[in-house]
């Protein structure tokens, strides 16, 4: 597939403006997904030190040539420092100097924080996750990768769907979906593929098992692909054979709740109000207790990221990519979830996932 270049130039400068806002002299970035977003570096060991006058990627000799190539290809405004594992903490500490150094309070252990100020001359400041906050708003190249991932998952589901009526196990279907996505160019699944049938469908995050899918089952399939570090996320629910009255009620009600929530999605709208729109549909039907999770979350390089719609009063912003995924889970009937991945734009909402919501197999 042909994708536009993913250039990271300018991201470090955006982060520097937040250093001023939080009154620190430098930020040490440990989380690997944040390192990749800032620099393009895809190795398994690396730290970025961002100060007001320079940025440095610190990694070990295994990644010397790869890191140089990736920094250049991404257009990252950072220099490379190669250091052995035992000396990295000291080298990072020397880069930080004597000023106030910020760390992501959600990503750094106490031991890591102490090593940053080994001589006690500086000040380690716990900060909210600044880089993840910047990652929330996707640019055109990032969205191109998410669109590609969504198209791959759509096609894989269409290919594998006939297995549901052929006596396959949940694990058979999950493995077939993962293979189909890779065959179409995905780096792999975007997360652990969920295939949950019959009583297992009432478990929102079930693990595919050896249970054989049977006629009359509700089957929840939660599937997404990863393309060049970016992910898609989608859920469809199926019925093997004609749905009974209660199954059809759940299918229709969850779809109604999803449509009500999607209708709320727009720039400037409170994230929590989107969750409430779906929850109100279920409450009016007397099934509020069967809605066991939030209505959606952000997606990008991480499959679950801010904004989490059920617990954020912050307004949606242009560039957010979010899921809307209401579900109902009744042990005596099974579960139903409809999920789509949406891009929130200035001019409207784009649905990236396109697999049809036709449940009967």
């Amino acid at each position: 597939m042909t994708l536009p270049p993913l250039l990271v130039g300018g991201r470090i400068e955006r982060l520097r403006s937040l250093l001023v806002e939080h009154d620190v002299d430098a930020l040490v970035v440990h989380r690997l997904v944040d390192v990749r977003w800032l620099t393009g570096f895809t190795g398994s060991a690396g730290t970025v030190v961002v100060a007001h006058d320079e940025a440095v990627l610190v990694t070990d000799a295994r990644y010397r040539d790869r890191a140089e190539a990736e920094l250049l290809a991404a257009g990252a405004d950072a220099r490379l420092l190669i250091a052995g594992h035992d000396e990295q903490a000291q080298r990072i500490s020397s880069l930080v100097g004597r000023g106030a150094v910020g760390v992501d309070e959600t990503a750094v252990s106490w031991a890591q924080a102490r090593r940053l100020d080994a001589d006690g001359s500086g000040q380690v400041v716990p900060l909210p996750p600044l880089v993840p906050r910047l990652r929330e708003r996707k640019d055109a190249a990032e969205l191109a990768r998410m669109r590609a991932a969504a198209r791959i998952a759509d096609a894989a589901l269409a290919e594998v769907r006939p297995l549901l009526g052929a006596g396959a196990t949940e694990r058979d279907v999950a493995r077939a979906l993962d293979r189909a996505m890779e065959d179409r160019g995905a780096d792999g699944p975007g997360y652990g593929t969920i295939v949950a049938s019959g009583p297992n469908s009432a478990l929102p995050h079930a693990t595919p098992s050896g249970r054989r899918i049977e006629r009359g089952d509700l089957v929840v399939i939660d599937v997404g692909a990863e393309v060049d570090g970016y992910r898609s996320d989608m859920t469809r629910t199926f019925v093997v054979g004609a749905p009974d009255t209660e199954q059809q009620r759940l299918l229709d009600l969850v779809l109604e709740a999803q449509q009500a929530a999607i209708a709320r999605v727009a720039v400037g709208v409170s994230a929590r109000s989107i969750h409430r729109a779906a929850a109100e549909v279920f409450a009016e039907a007397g099934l509020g207790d069967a809605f066991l999770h939030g209505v959606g979350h952000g997606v990008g390089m991480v499959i679950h990221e801010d904004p989490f719609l059920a617990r954020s009063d912050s307004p949606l912003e242009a560039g957010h990519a979010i899921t809307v995924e209401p579900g109902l889970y009744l042990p005596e009937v099974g579960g139903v979830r409809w999920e789509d991945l949406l891009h929130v734009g200035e001019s409207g909402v784009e649905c990236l996932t396109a697999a049809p919501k036709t449940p009967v197999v």
Side-chain angles (χ1 to χ4, degrees), residues 174-187:
R175 288 172 176 167
L177 283 165
D178 291 351
R179 287 195 301 271
M181 288 188 288
E182 291 181 4
D183 288 346
R184 285 168 169 77
D187 299 329

Side-chain angles (χ1 to χ4, degrees), residues 19-347:
L19 303 189
V20 174
E21 180 181 324
H22 289 274
D23 195 25
V24 293
D25 298 292
L27 180 73
V28 180
V29 179
H30 291 85
R31 189 186 281 111
L32 283 173
V33 67
D34 294 339
V35 170
R36 182 173 181 176
W37 187 83
L38 285 169
T39 67
F41 174 62
T42 62
S44 63
T47 302
V48 175
V49 180
V50 178
H52 293 289
D53 57 349
E54 71 168 350
V56 182
L57 168 64
V58 182
T59 187
D60 60 71
R62 295 174 299 163
Y63 293 114
R64 184 194 62 193
D65 297 337
R66 172 172 164 183
E68 287 181 353
E70 289 181 335
L71 286 173
L72 180 63
D77 181 20
R79 69 177 175 91
L80 178 64
L81 190 158
I82 300 297
H85 178 75
D86 292 339
E87 63 176 331
Q88 282 190 14
Q90 182 180 356
R91 299 294 294 274
I92 291 169
S93 182
S94 67
L95 288 170
V96 168
R98 291 179 171 273
V101 54
V103 295
D104 183 337
E105 63 188 4
T106 68
V108 174
S109 69
W110 175 241
Q112 287 173 313
R114 288 182 65 192
R115 285 197 294 270
L116 290 177
D117 186 26
D119 63 1
S121 62
Q123 179 187 6
V124 179
V125 181
L127 297 178
L130 302 183
V131 181
R133 179 69 182 93
L134 294 174
R135 285 197 288 106
E136 287 182 30
R137 297 181 65 170
K138 311 306 187 288
D139 63 26
E142 292 175 299
L143 286 167
R145 284 151 177 79
M146 296 180 71
R147 288 190 191 97
R151 288 195 298 269
I152 286 170
D154 287 340
L157 184 58
E159 176 187 325
V160 170
R161 175 178 173 148
L163 288 179
L164 300 179
T169 68
E170 295 172 352
R171 198 173 290 124
D172 291 335
V173 177
R175 288 172 176 167
L177 283 165
D178 291 351
R179 287 195 301 271
M181 288 188 288
E182 291 181 4
D183 288 346
R184 285 168 169 77
D187 299 329
Y191 48 91
T193 301
I194 296 172
V195 179
S197 63
N200 294 340
S201 66
L203 306 173
H205 269 199
T207 300
S209 72
R211 183 184 185 278
R212 200 164 295 281
I213 298 169
E214 301 175 351
R215 186 171 183 82
D217 280 350
L218 284 166
V219 185
V220 174
I221 296 182
D222 193 333
V223 60
E226 179 181 351
V227 172
D228 196 20
Y230 289 83
R231 301 160 197 268
S232 67
D233 195 358
M234 172 179 67
T235 304
R236 295 294 184 262
T237 303
F238 300 93
V239 183
V240 184
D244 62 29
T245 301
E246 188 61 12
Q247 289 173 335
Q248 189 64 59
R249 178 185 178 229
L250 293 185
L251 290 163
D252 292 343
L253 193 59
V254 176
L255 185 58
E256 179 186 348
Q258 192 200 32
Q259 291 169 342
I262 290 175
R264 287 285 305 156
V265 176
V267 172
V269 169
S270 161
R272 199 187 301 268
S273 73
I274 299 166
H275 177 83
R276 284 199 300 265
E280 287 168 1
V281 172
F282 295 146
E284 289 174 6
L287 290 173
D289 291 343
F291 184 22
L292 304 180
H293 53 75
V295 81
H297 54 85
V299 179
M301 298 179 77
V302 178
I303 194 58
H304 296 105
E305 63 180 35
D306 284 326
F308 289 90
L309 304 186
R311 56 179 190 253
S312 173
D313 289 314
S314 297
L316 293 183
E317 301 175 16
H320 275 155
I322 61 169
T323 65
V324 175
E325 50 176 308
L328 290 174
Y329 308 92
L330 300 173
E332 66 277 14
V333 179
V336 172
R337 181 164 69 250
W338 298 117
E339 176 186 20
D340 286 293
L341 178 59
L342 309 176
H343 164 230
V344 184
E346 290 285 5
S347 58

